[in-house]
């Protein structure tokens, strides 16, 4: 009988699955393992992980190994004798001795349709790469990185305005439900185990860094727009304007001669933000030295030349300020056509 569960997880994404286990009357969560508390903010005060906070609220014992491979943790888990260990974004590589310990194995909830997007940031990279669908996979863990046998998968369609944050929320809910289905299948003996190919069809979904937010204007307008959404809310996509950091949160691709959804391409004389006599950059220009050049200014959008196409910026955030619409930005930061952004 599958009853006793040890849970290993750290970030917000794992909280929904832990809460689903706690709410279930079928399973007893014996202990939670999470990453050590980390300092946050200027004060440097230690802050517990979201999973630890949820476990404390539920009255579940919490353990925070610096290295799960140290012998005392195997000894503790051996004493706990879990039927299964559930792992959701724990953040450490689990040694083989622990993988082999539970009768039903270590079951991982991974936020992609494996074998695609193995790695630490599958949600964001799916949006960045313009995928039309993503999903969640449960698998029986092995010594590799997200290479274990797949058990169940559930597909989630991506909205055209999907962000890393909105997909995160969707897949967190989906993963919680899929984990309960997986445990039931394991207990009933109906679970299937599908081996993954050695190679993934997509690049490794590496953990994102702040530097990954820097916008490369030589990319296509479509690729940049996908990147803006994938990096929302963290680390955010950014460029520099007049020497200061400028985050860009929302944009859309403009086809030549077409109207945008929130602003219209206007003749230069109808653009009060453009300086008198400033040259209007043609939308047909695709020369290398025009990447990142403002080629039109409207009341509700800035149009920027990319390596392929025009990107209409709709919402941004100057350094030290809050997010704002483009009309609010232009009232405080006049922009001329021909400027670099």
């Amino acid at each position: 009988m599958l009853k006793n569960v040890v849970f290993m997880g750290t970030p917000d994404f794992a909280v929904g699955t832990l809460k689903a286990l706690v709410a279930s009357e079928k399973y007893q969560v014996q202990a939670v393992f999470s990453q050590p508390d980390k300092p946050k903010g200027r004060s440097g005060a230690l802050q517990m992980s979201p999973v630890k906070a949820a476990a404390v609220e539920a009255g579940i014992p919490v353990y925070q190994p610096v290295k799960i491979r140290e012998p005392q943790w195997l000894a503790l888990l051996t004493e706990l004798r879990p039927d299964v260990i559930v792992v959701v974004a724990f953040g450490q590589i689990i040694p083989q001795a622990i993988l082999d310990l539970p009768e039903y194995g270590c079951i991982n909830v991974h936020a992609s349709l494996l074998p695609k997007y193995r790695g630490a940031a599958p949600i964001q990279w799916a949006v960045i790469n313009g995928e039309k669908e993503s999903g969640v996979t449960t698998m029986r863990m092995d010594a590799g990185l997200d290479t274990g046998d797949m058990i169940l998968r559930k597909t989630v369609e991506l909205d055209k305005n999907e962000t890393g944050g909105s997909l995160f929320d969707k897949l967190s809910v989906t993963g919680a439900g899929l984990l309960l289905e997986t445990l039931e299948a394991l207990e009933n003996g109906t679970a299937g185990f599908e081996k993954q190919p050695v190679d993934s069809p997509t690049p490794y979904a590496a953990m994102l860094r702040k530097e990954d937010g820097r916008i490369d204007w030589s990319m296509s307008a479509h690729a940049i727009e996908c990147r803006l959404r994938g990096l929302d809310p963290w680390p955010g996509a950014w460029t520099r304007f007049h020497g200061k950091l400028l985050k860009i949160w929302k944009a859309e691709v403009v086809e030549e001669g077409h109207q945008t959804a929130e602003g219209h391409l206007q003749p230069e004389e109808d653009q009060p933000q453009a300086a008198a006599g400033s040259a209007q950059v043609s939308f047909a220009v695709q020369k290398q030295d025009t990447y990142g050049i403002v080629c039109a200014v409207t009341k509700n959008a800035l149009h920027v030349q990319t390596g392929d196409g025009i990107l209409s910026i709709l919402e941004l955030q100057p350094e030290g300020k809050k997010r704002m619409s483009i009309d609010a930005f232009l009232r405080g930061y006049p922009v001329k056509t021909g400027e670099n952004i």
Side-chain angles (χ1 to χ4, degrees):
M1 180 178 180
L2 197 166
K3 182 175 179 62
N4 294 324
V5 179
V6 166
F7 187 88
M8 295 184 180
T10 299
D12 285 321
F13 181 79
V15 171
T17 304
L18 174 59
K19 287 184 175 181
L21 282 168
V22 172
S24 171
E25 296 180 357
K26 292 187 62 175
Y27 308 109
Q28 177 66 44
V29 182
Q30 301 169 291
V32 165
F33 286 67
S34 194
Q35 294 276 49
D37 296 350
K38 293 184 178 180
K40 186 175 182 179
R42 295 181 179 179
S43 67
L46 291 177
Q47 184 175 48
M48 64 181 71
S49 73
V51 163
K52 178 183 176 181
V56 170
E57 183 179 356
I60 303 170
V62 178
Y63 302 95
Q64 297 176 273
V66 175
K67 296 180 180 178
I68 190 67
R69 66 174 179 268
E70 292 177 344
Q72 68 264 33
W73 303 116
L74 175 60
L76 174 60
L77 287 164
T78 301
E79 183 179 338
L80 289 170
R81 298 179 63 186
D83 298 314
V84 67
I85 296 176
V86 174
V87 183
V88 188
F90 176 49
Q92 295 188 38
I93 295 175
I94 299 174
Q96 190 67 48
I98 293 178
L99 295 178
D100 294 338
L101 182 64
E103 178 183 353
Y104 292 93
C106 290
I107 305 301
N108 178 242
V109 178
H110 186 75
S112 81
L113 295 174
L114 290 172
K116 298 178 72 172
Y117 295 105
R118 297 169 181 163
I123 297 173
Q124 295 91 334
W125 284 108
V127 179
I128 289 170
N129 290 339
E131 297 283 359
K132 302 300 182 185
E133 63 180 24
S134 183
V136 176
T137 306
T138 54
M139 66 175 173
R140 181 171 56 189
M141 297 176 68
D142 62 14
L145 295 174
D146 302 325
T147 57
D149 294 348
M150 298 179 290
I151 305 172
L152 294 177
R153 298 199 301 169
K154 181 167 279 189
T155 299
V156 172
E157 300 294 327
L158 270 66
D159 184 81
K160 67 176 183 178
N161 295 317
E162 201 79 66
T163 66
S166 63
L167 184 58
F168 181 101
D169 293 340
K170 289 180 182 179
L171 297 188
S172 179
V173 173
T174 300
L178 196 64
L179 185 274
L180 294 181
E181 291 180 35
T182 300
L183 294 185
E184 184 175 354
L186 288 171
E187 184 176 10
N188 294 339
T190 58
F193 298 92
E194 180 184 352
K195 289 194 175 296
Q196 295 190 54
V198 174
D199 296 322
S200 172
T202 58
Y204 186 75
M207 185 178 295
L208 292 165
R209 308 161 300 163
K210 288 185 179 180
E211 183 61 27
D212 292 321
R214 181 190 291 270
I215 297 172
D216 179 359
W217 293 107
S218 70
M219 297 170 64
S220 71
H222 173 72
I224 295 172
E225 192 274 334
C226 288
R227 198 170 190 88
L228 300 185
R229 291 187 288 106
L231 299 176
D232 182 354
W234 195 91
W238 55 272
T239 187
R240 290 198 174 273
F241 181 65
H242 293 176
K244 292 189 175 182
L245 189 76
L246 182 67
K247 285 192 173 183
I248 300 177
W249 293 109
K250 186 178 180 182
E252 62 185 8
V253 178
V254 180
E255 295 179 3
E256 184 180 350
H258 287 205
Q259 294 178 339
T260 69
E262 299 188 31
H264 304 288
L265 304 185
Q266 302 174 353
E268 186 174 324
E269 60 267 26
D270 293 335
Q271 297 179 28
Q273 293 84 7
S278 62
Q280 177 77 31
V281 179
S282 168
F283 285 102
V285 174
Q286 295 290 335
K287 295 180 181 178
Q288 184 172 354
D289 58 2
T290 64
Y291 299 159
I293 295 291
V294 175
C295 54
V297 183
T298 78
K299 294 178 180 179
N300 298 304
L302 288 178
H303 302 287
V304 181
Q305 181 72 54
T306 72
D308 180 10
I310 307 296
L311 191 70
S312 174
I313 299 173
L314 304 173
E315 184 178 329
L316 37 63
Q317 182 177 9
E319 187 172 330
K321 304 290 184 180
K322 296 181 179 180
R323 290 192 191 193
M324 61 183 68
S325 61
I326 203 68
D327 60 330
F329 175 76
L330 291 172
R331 286 195 293 269
Y333 302 84
V335 180
K336 302 176 183 178
T337 56
E339 283 193 278
N340 284 293
I341 196 169

